[in-house]
Amino acid sequence: MSSQTHPIVDLPGPASVPTFYFIGVTTARSSIRVVFPRWAAELGLGDVQLAGIDLPLHAPREDYRRVVDFIAHDPLSLGALVTTHKIDLYEACQDMFDRIDPMARLMGETSCLSKRAGQLVCHAKDPISAGLAIDAFVAPGYWQETGAEAFLMGAGGSAIAISWYLSRPERGADRPSRIIVSNRSTGRLEMIRKVHAELGTDLLVEFVHTPAPRDNDQILAKLAPRSLVVNATGLGKDAPGSPLTDAARFPRSALAWDLNYRGNLVFLDQARAAVDVRVEDGWVYFIHGWTQVIAEVFDIDIPTSGAVFESLDHIAAHTRR
């Protein structure tokens, strides 16, 4: 019998206090379980709690709909941050949202659910948080100065957001000379291709089907020096492994960015084993991703820099696993 008949998601009971949800795969392992109560106290959010909802990768459509229906109709359920399931949840539930922000509609993803005046609102916060994270470790003028390329392995919501951010015309000459997006399956590649077609992207963006890690190795070997290489696949956190083999050769002076900050992080181990590669994990992306969604769900202002943001960063750093 199909999983549509026997849903596999384990929904919580009705919330007894204002509750914010984390929809992911292994939510109990995330640092946010320790960080959020301390952030809530720092931000003066009152008696609120965070609850995780775990779904397997590419869960049945009905499971996503049950989760969204629960949050929409439970009075004390305030909203949610969505990770890993951003595209799948949007595709399954877009008819259930009262409002969809323009970026979510363009990106075809849900990274945040909030409630306003009894309406359930779908947001895409990744374009903002991804941009803030990139700007934290890639200096202004880097692309114009180096002529470097960007290679994104994975074609999910984060890759869509990063490729959008790096290709925006308003960045002028400070953009990669080329963006390459690879993925194991072709469906997601077609989705990201459509996003860029709708945007009318004037930068060269290539979409490459890479069913095996050695296919990514071949792309990596041909990149320009100082290029950015991103693991946006979830491998290393949501599933073991890396999108590259151990034989992969990074370009000279490359930037290696893993969007994960926890897990076995094989991709970062491979990058560290190479010569002259600067490594960045997903911690800053984690901070910006969560603070952007918390600000939306609780309808408060959280600056992206300055004393308040630094205080939240400091609190999180002291709880990092």
Side-chain angles (χ1 to χ4, degrees):
M1 196 169 288
S2 75
S3 56
Q4 296 284 345
T5 305
H6 295 286
I8 51 182
V9 60
D10 184 18
L11 288 175
S16 57
V17 297
T19 301
F20 172 42
Y21 295 92
F22 175 19
I23 302 170
V25 177
T26 54
T27 59
R29 299 179 191 173
S30 175
S31 295
I32 197 64
R33 304 304 288 266
V34 178
V35 171
F36 179 76
R38 301 179 188 190
W39 277 358
E42 178 75 8
L43 294 168
L45 299 183
D47 185 17
V48 299
Q49 70 175 11
L50 175 74
I53 299 176
D54 286 353
L55 289 159
L57 294 171
H58 308 304
R61 179 175 184 271
E62 188 57 32
D63 286 315
Y64 292 118
R65 294 182 68 83
R66 289 181 69 230
V67 169
V68 169
D69 182 71
F70 166 74
I71 293 172
H73 294 102
D74 184 61
L76 291 176
S77 292
L78 305 182
L81 179 142
V82 183
T83 184
T84 305
H85 305 287
K86 299 166 191 171
I87 293 175
D88 289 332
L89 188 143
Y90 181 88
E91 290 180 342
C93 304
Q94 57 185 295
D95 64 305
M96 301 175 71
F97 306 135
D98 297 303
R99 283 195 285 133
I100 301 174
D101 78 25
M103 193 60 69
R105 195 176 297 280
L106 174 63
M107 301 284 171
E109 67 158 70
T110 306
S111 56
C112 170
L113 295 174
S114 71
K115 290 180 176 179
R116 291 289 184 278
Q119 292 191 318
L120 184 67
V121 187
C122 163
H123 311 264
K125 294 295 183 181
D126 269 3
I128 301 169
S129 52
L132 290 166
I134 290 169
D135 289 346
F137 74 93
V138 179
Y142 180 85
W143 305 103
Q144 185 173 10
E145 173 191 338
T146 64
E149 300 165 305
F151 177 29
L152 314 180
M153 294 176 288
S158 295
I160 294 174
I162 293 167
S163 63
W164 170 82
Y165 183 77
L166 290 176
S167 66
R168 290 181 307 149
E170 52 264 45
R171 293 179 62 91
D174 195 21
R175 298 185 290 174
S177 58
R178 178 176 61 149
I179 297 175
I180 306 164
V181 182
S182 72
N183 201 57
R184 289 185 296 185
S185 61
T186 58
R188 291 288 168 86
L189 287 172
E190 287 307 309
M191 180 177 296
I192 193 170
R193 187 195 303 273
K194 288 177 182 177
V195 169
H196 281 281
E198 186 170 339
L199 286 169
T201 303
D202 63 342
L203 189 73
L204 177 60
V205 183
E206 298 180 7
F207 308 95
V208 185
H209 181 214
T210 53
R214 65 178 178 273
D215 300 316
N216 286 319
D217 290 0
Q218 293 174 4
I219 297 171
L220 189 74
K222 298 176 182 178
L223 293 177
R226 303 183 71 176
S227 289
L228 172 66
V229 184
V230 183
N231 175 22
T233 66
L235 290 174
K237 178 176 75 73
D238 298 326
S242 166
L244 299 172
T245 76
D246 287 340
R249 302 294 296 270
F250 284 81
R252 176 173 54 83
S253 302
L255 303 177
W257 184 23
D258 197 325
L259 301 190
N260 305 317
Y261 73 91
R262 62 181 174 91
N264 60 7
L265 303 182
V266 176
F267 169 77
L268 289 187
D269 290 339
Q270 292 168 330
R272 291 187 181 103
V275 176
D276 191 26
V277 175
R278 181 152 64 96
V279 170
E280 183 80 14
D281 69 11
W283 182 253
V284 174
Y285 191 26
F286 165 84
I287 299 293
H288 282 298
W290 276 97
T291 52
Q292 286 289 314
V293 173
I294 289 169
E296 188 68 57
V297 170
F298 290 93
D299 197 17
I300 60 173
D301 178 55
I302 301 179
T304 58
S305 61
V308 173
F309 182 81
E310 288 173 7
S311 176
L312 297 175
D313 189 14
H314 181 76
I315 290 169
H318 277 72
T319 64
R320 187 171 183 180
R321 296 176 181 176

